[in-house]
Amino acid sequence: MAILHITKENFEKEVLQSKEPVVVDFWASWCGPCKALAPILEEVDAELAGTVKVAKINIDEEEELAAQFRVMSIPTLFLFKNGEVVNKSVGLAPKEEVVAFAKF
């Protein structure tokens, strides 16, 4: 499964209405830790395919979503289940922590 690119147009369908839990990464292209987290998220997406979706929201392109979720630092991960935020993590984390986060 590929990592989803989320916009305000597909946020409700892909995240809030998802039957699977969704890990959403708020990131920016200029963010070093975000770049370091990207390959980790690719691995997590492959490892948890079919049980958890992984999605990314570029804060520079989707300022409204970043503001809605009060994203102050990036990378910030949110875990959504049944349309609700159930977990949040700020900063770069190793793969093991991201997998544990996604299985929360």
Side-chain angles (χ1 to χ4, degrees):
M1 193 171 193
I3 292 180
L4 299 167
H5 177 73
I6 301 298
T7 64
K8 64 183 177 200
E9 287 77 24
N10 68 358
F11 180 78
E12 184 167 338
K13 176 182 181 279
E14 296 292 352
V15 178
L16 298 181
Q17 296 176 358
S18 176
K19 296 197 182 325
E20 301 92 16
V22 185
V23 173
V24 177
D25 172 31
F26 283 84
W27 71 286
S29 60
W30 46 263
C31 166
C34 298
K35 290 178 184 177
L37 185 60
I40 294 169
L41 290 174
E42 293 281 349
E43 290 179 27
V44 170
D45 183 57
E47 189 173 310
L48 300 180
T51 58
V52 174
K53 292 197 300 189
V54 178
K56 295 176 80 73
I57 297 176
N58 184 319
I59 64 162
D60 292 329
E61 296 171 2
E62 300 298 331
E63 294 175 9
E64 287 178 38
L65 287 173
Q68 179 180 343
F69 291 97
R70 296 182 175 92
V71 174
M72 298 296 187
S73 298
I74 52 174
T76 295
L77 299 177
F78 284 91
L79 179 63
F80 288 83
K81 287 185 182 177
N82 301 314
E84 300 289 326
V85 174
V86 296
N87 205 357
K88 178 181 174 182
S89 173
V90 178
L92 180 61
K95 179 183 170 191
E96 300 76 28
E97 286 183 26
V98 177
V99 169
F101 172 87
K103 292 181 175 181
F104 179 80

